[in-house]
Amino acid sequence: MGVQDAPETLDDSTLIGHSLDDPESFAALFDRHADEIHRYAARRLGAELADDVTGEVFLVAFRGRARYDRSWPDARPWLYGIATKVIAQHRRTERRRTTAMAKVSVERPGTFDDRSADRVTAEQLQPRLARALTRLSAGERDLLLLVAWGDLTYEDAALALGVPVGTVRSRLHRLRAKVRRALGGIDPYATEEPRRG
Protein backbone atom coordinates (compact mmCIF):
# COMPACT_ATOMS: atom_id res chain seq x y z
CA MET A 1 0.00 0.00 0.00
CA GLY A 2 1.29 3.42 -0.87
CA VAL A 3 0.92 6.65 1.09
CA GLN A 4 -2.26 7.40 -0.87
CA ASP A 5 -3.93 4.22 0.44
CA ALA A 6 -3.37 4.52 4.16
CA PRO A 7 -5.42 1.79 5.89
CA GLU A 8 -7.71 4.30 7.61
CA THR A 9 -8.85 5.63 4.21
CA LEU A 10 -9.69 2.22 2.74
CA ASP A 11 -13.00 0.42 3.07
CA ASP A 12 -13.01 -3.04 4.64
CA SER A 13 -13.30 -4.84 1.31
CA THR A 14 -10.17 -3.14 -0.03
CA LEU A 15 -8.28 -3.86 3.20
CA ILE A 16 -9.19 -7.53 2.96
CA GLY A 17 -8.11 -7.56 -0.68
CA HIS A 18 -4.73 -6.04 0.24
CA SER A 19 -4.32 -8.61 3.01
CA LEU A 20 -4.30 -11.43 0.44
CA ASP A 21 -0.86 -10.23 -0.75
CA ASP A 22 0.18 -8.47 2.47
CA PRO A 23 -1.21 -10.49 5.41
CA GLU A 24 -0.03 -7.89 7.92
CA SER A 25 -2.48 -5.36 6.49
CA PHE A 26 -5.32 -7.45 7.97
CA ALA A 27 -4.33 -5.93 11.32
CA ALA A 28 -6.04 -2.69 10.23
CA LEU A 29 -9.35 -4.57 9.97
CA PHE A 30 -8.79 -5.95 13.47
CA ASP A 31 -8.00 -2.47 14.80
CA ARG A 32 -11.16 -1.11 13.18
CA HIS A 33 -13.65 -3.71 14.45
CA ALA A 34 -12.20 -5.72 17.36
CA ASP A 35 -13.57 -3.50 20.13
CA GLU A 36 -17.10 -3.72 18.74
CA ILE A 37 -16.95 -7.50 18.34
CA HIS A 38 -15.46 -7.79 21.85
CA ARG A 39 -18.30 -5.73 23.38
CA TYR A 40 -20.86 -7.91 21.60
CA ALA A 41 -19.18 -11.13 22.78
CA ALA A 42 -18.95 -9.79 26.34
CA ARG A 43 -22.66 -8.99 26.38
CA ARG A 44 -23.51 -12.44 25.08
CA LEU A 45 -21.06 -14.57 27.09
CA GLY A 46 -19.44 -12.38 29.73
CA ALA A 47 -16.09 -10.63 29.93
CA GLU A 48 -14.24 -13.84 30.79
CA LEU A 49 -14.87 -15.35 27.33
CA ALA A 50 -14.96 -12.17 25.23
CA ASP A 51 -11.20 -12.08 24.59
CA ASP A 52 -11.16 -15.69 23.40
CA VAL A 53 -14.24 -15.22 21.21
CA THR A 54 -12.85 -12.04 19.65
CA GLY A 55 -9.55 -13.70 18.90
CA GLU A 56 -11.27 -16.69 17.37
CA VAL A 57 -13.55 -14.48 15.24
CA PHE A 58 -10.58 -12.68 13.71
CA LEU A 59 -8.62 -15.89 13.27
CA VAL A 60 -11.54 -17.42 11.34
CA ALA A 61 -11.90 -14.18 9.37
CA PHE A 62 -8.20 -14.10 8.53
CA ARG A 63 -8.20 -17.71 7.39
CA GLY A 64 -11.34 -17.17 5.31
CA ARG A 65 -10.47 -13.75 3.89
CA ALA A 66 -9.94 -15.11 0.35
CA ARG A 67 -13.64 -16.11 0.30
CA TYR A 68 -14.87 -12.70 1.47
CA ASP A 69 -17.49 -11.21 -0.88
CA ARG A 70 -15.63 -8.10 -2.02
CA SER A 71 -18.90 -6.42 -3.06
CA TRP A 72 -19.51 -5.71 0.67
CA PRO A 73 -17.49 -2.59 1.54
CA ASP A 74 -18.30 -3.02 5.26
CA ALA A 75 -17.06 -6.25 6.87
CA ARG A 76 -19.17 -5.86 10.04
CA PRO A 77 -21.99 -8.20 8.89
CA TRP A 78 -19.40 -10.83 7.93
CA LEU A 79 -17.62 -10.48 11.28
CA TYR A 80 -20.89 -10.62 13.22
CA GLY A 81 -21.85 -13.72 11.25
CA ILE A 82 -18.59 -15.36 12.30
CA ALA A 83 -19.12 -14.15 15.89
CA THR A 84 -22.59 -15.70 15.92
CA LYS A 85 -21.13 -19.06 14.90
CA VAL A 86 -18.32 -18.85 17.46
CA ILE A 87 -20.79 -17.86 20.21
CA ALA A 88 -22.95 -20.82 19.22
CA GLN A 89 -20.09 -23.04 20.37
CA HIS A 90 -20.55 -21.47 23.82
CA ARG A 91 -24.37 -21.78 24.05
CA ARG A 92 -24.29 -23.40 27.50
CA THR A 93 -22.26 -20.50 28.88
CA GLU A 94 -24.65 -17.99 27.34
CA ARG A 95 -27.67 -19.86 28.71
CA ARG A 96 -26.15 -19.95 32.23
CA ARG A 97 -25.33 -16.23 32.02
CA THR A 98 -28.81 -15.26 30.83
CA THR A 99 -30.45 -17.46 33.46
CA ALA A 100 -28.30 -15.85 36.17
CA MET A 101 -29.22 -12.36 34.91
CA ALA A 102 -32.89 -13.35 35.08
CA LYS A 103 -32.51 -14.18 38.77
CA VAL A 104 -30.69 -10.99 39.76
CA SER A 105 -32.77 -8.66 41.90
CA VAL A 106 -32.49 -4.99 41.11
CA GLU A 107 -31.40 -2.67 43.90
CA ARG A 108 -33.26 0.59 44.18
CA PRO A 109 -31.15 3.74 43.69
CA GLY A 110 -30.54 5.93 46.77
CA THR A 111 -31.85 9.12 45.19
CA PHE A 112 -33.15 10.19 41.84
CA ASP A 113 -29.91 12.08 41.27
CA ASP A 114 -27.99 8.81 41.41
CA ARG A 115 -29.51 7.53 38.16
CA SER A 116 -31.85 8.68 35.44
CA ALA A 117 -35.40 7.33 35.23
CA ASP A 118 -34.52 5.54 31.98
CA ARG A 119 -31.65 3.71 33.62
CA VAL A 120 -33.81 2.64 36.56
CA THR A 121 -36.52 1.34 34.20
CA ALA A 122 -33.97 -0.57 32.10
CA GLU A 123 -32.41 -2.15 35.19
CA GLN A 124 -35.79 -3.15 36.56
CA LEU A 125 -36.64 -4.80 33.25
CA GLN A 126 -33.31 -6.63 32.98
CA PRO A 127 -34.30 -9.81 34.87
CA ARG A 128 -37.60 -10.07 32.98
CA LEU A 129 -35.88 -9.41 29.67
CA ALA A 130 -33.21 -12.01 30.48
CA ARG A 131 -35.97 -14.54 31.27
CA ALA A 132 -37.61 -13.68 27.94
CA LEU A 133 -34.29 -14.27 26.16
CA THR A 134 -33.93 -17.71 27.73
CA ARG A 135 -37.27 -18.66 26.20
CA LEU A 136 -36.17 -17.82 22.67
CA SER A 137 -34.58 -20.36 20.37
CA ALA A 138 -30.87 -19.92 19.67
CA GLY A 139 -31.62 -18.55 16.19
CA GLU A 140 -34.19 -16.08 17.52
CA ARG A 141 -31.77 -14.88 20.20
CA ASP A 142 -28.99 -14.50 17.62
CA LEU A 143 -31.15 -12.33 15.37
CA LEU A 144 -32.54 -10.20 18.16
CA LEU A 145 -29.13 -9.55 19.71
CA LEU A 146 -27.43 -8.84 16.37
CA VAL A 147 -29.93 -6.04 15.84
CA ALA A 148 -30.24 -4.87 19.46
CA TRP A 149 -26.65 -5.23 20.70
CA GLY A 150 -24.72 -5.41 17.43
CA ASP A 151 -26.69 -2.43 16.09
CA LEU A 152 -26.90 -4.08 12.67
CA THR A 153 -29.40 -2.94 10.08
CA TYR A 154 -31.94 -5.45 8.79
CA GLU A 155 -29.80 -5.83 5.66
CA ASP A 156 -26.61 -6.36 7.67
CA ALA A 157 -28.33 -8.90 9.94
CA ALA A 158 -29.53 -10.74 6.84
CA LEU A 159 -25.95 -10.85 5.50
CA ALA A 160 -24.59 -11.98 8.87
CA LEU A 161 -27.10 -14.82 9.13
CA GLY A 162 -27.25 -15.70 5.44
CA VAL A 163 -31.02 -15.20 5.16
CA PRO A 164 -33.17 -12.86 3.03
CA VAL A 165 -33.99 -9.39 4.40
CA GLY A 166 -37.70 -10.25 4.32
CA THR A 167 -37.03 -13.17 6.65
CA VAL A 168 -35.23 -10.85 9.08
CA ARG A 169 -38.16 -8.41 9.01
CA SER A 170 -40.82 -11.07 9.63
CA ARG A 171 -38.80 -12.86 12.34
CA LEU A 172 -38.11 -9.58 14.16
CA HIS A 173 -41.80 -8.69 14.02
CA ARG A 174 -42.68 -12.02 15.68
CA LEU A 175 -39.80 -11.69 18.17
CA ARG A 176 -40.93 -8.23 19.26
CA ALA A 177 -44.40 -9.59 19.95
CA LYS A 178 -42.92 -12.50 21.98
CA VAL A 179 -40.69 -10.22 24.04
CA ARG A 180 -43.51 -7.71 24.57
CA ARG A 181 -45.77 -10.52 25.88
CA ALA A 182 -42.98 -11.80 28.15
CA LEU A 183 -42.57 -8.29 29.58
CA GLY A 184 -46.27 -7.97 30.35
CA GLY A 185 -47.04 -5.67 27.44
CA ILE A 186 -44.04 -3.36 27.87
CA ASP A 187 -42.49 -2.58 24.50
CA PRO A 188 -38.68 -2.38 24.88
CA TYR A 189 -38.54 -1.09 21.29
CA ALA A 190 -40.92 1.83 21.81
CA THR A 191 -38.14 4.41 21.75
CA GLU A 192 -35.44 2.58 19.84
CA GLU A 193 -36.26 0.88 16.56
CA PRO A 194 -33.45 -1.00 14.78
CA ARG A 195 -31.95 0.87 11.85
CA ARG A 196 -33.25 -0.28 8.49
CA GLY A 197 -30.14 0.59 6.52
Side-chain angles (χ1 to χ4, degrees):
M1 284 185 281
V3 173
Q4 69 276 13
D5 8 332
E8 57 275 359
T9 65
L10 301 175
D11 66 23
D12 293 344
S13 177
T14 305
L15 272 176
I16 292 168
H18 284 312
S19 77
L20 296 174
D21 295 324
D22 176 21
E24 290 182 13
S25 65
F26 193 83
L29 190 76
F30 178 88
D31 292 342
R32 189 175 286 175
H33 298 294
D35 287 344
E36 182 176 347
I37 296 298
H38 187 275
R39 278 190 303 274
Y40 181 71
R43 291 181 88 175
R44 296 282 307 258
L45 299 172
E48 60 280 357
L49 287 176
D51 289 344
D52 292 342
V53 168
T54 303
E56 192 171 341
V57 166
F58 282 92
L59 179 61
V60 170
F62 180 78
R63 289 178 177 163
R65 70 192 189 284
R67 293 183 307 277
Y68 179 76
D69 183 344
R70 300 278 307 282
S71 68
W72 303 351
D74 181 3
R76 287 176 64 241
W78 179 59
L79 294 170
Y80 274 105
I82 295 169
T84 298
K85 290 174 183 149
V86 171
I87 287 168
Q89 297 167 2
H90 298 277
R91 287 278 184 228
R92 279 186 286 183
T93 301
E94 181 183 34
R95 200 169 19 259
R96 281 193 304 269
R97 179 175 169 74
T98 306
T99 301
M101 286 180 5
K103 293 176 183 176
V104 171
S105 65
V106 179
E107 293 180 17
R108 289 236 187 266
T111 67
F112 184 74
D113 294 336
D114 291 340
R115 299 182 190 177
S116 73
D118 289 343
R119 178 96 176 148
V120 171
T121 301
E123 287 181 356
Q124 289 170 338
L125 282 177
Q126 181 179 338
R128 289 168 61 190
L129 184 56
R131 275 192 300 278
L133 288 175
T134 63
R135 294 181 184 127
L136 299 177
S137 72
E140 289 172 331
R141 196 167 41 256
D142 287 340
L143 174 58
L144 186 65
L145 297 179
L146 281 171
V147 172
W149 289 350
D151 198 28
L152 295 186
T153 64
Y154 291 167
E155 291 77 9
D156 288 347
L159 287 172
L161 296 173
V163 298
V165 175
T167 301
V168 166
R169 290 181 197 281
S170 63
R171 286 181 185 168
L172 279 174
H173 179 74
R174 287 192 305 272
L175 282 170
R176 282 193 187 114
K178 266 187 178 180
V179 171
R180 203 172 13 252
R181 279 192 307 273
L183 295 178
I186 296 171
D187 186 356
Y189 307 101
T191 58
E192 193 176 306
E193 288 290 321
R195 295 176 300 134
R196 293 186 183 255

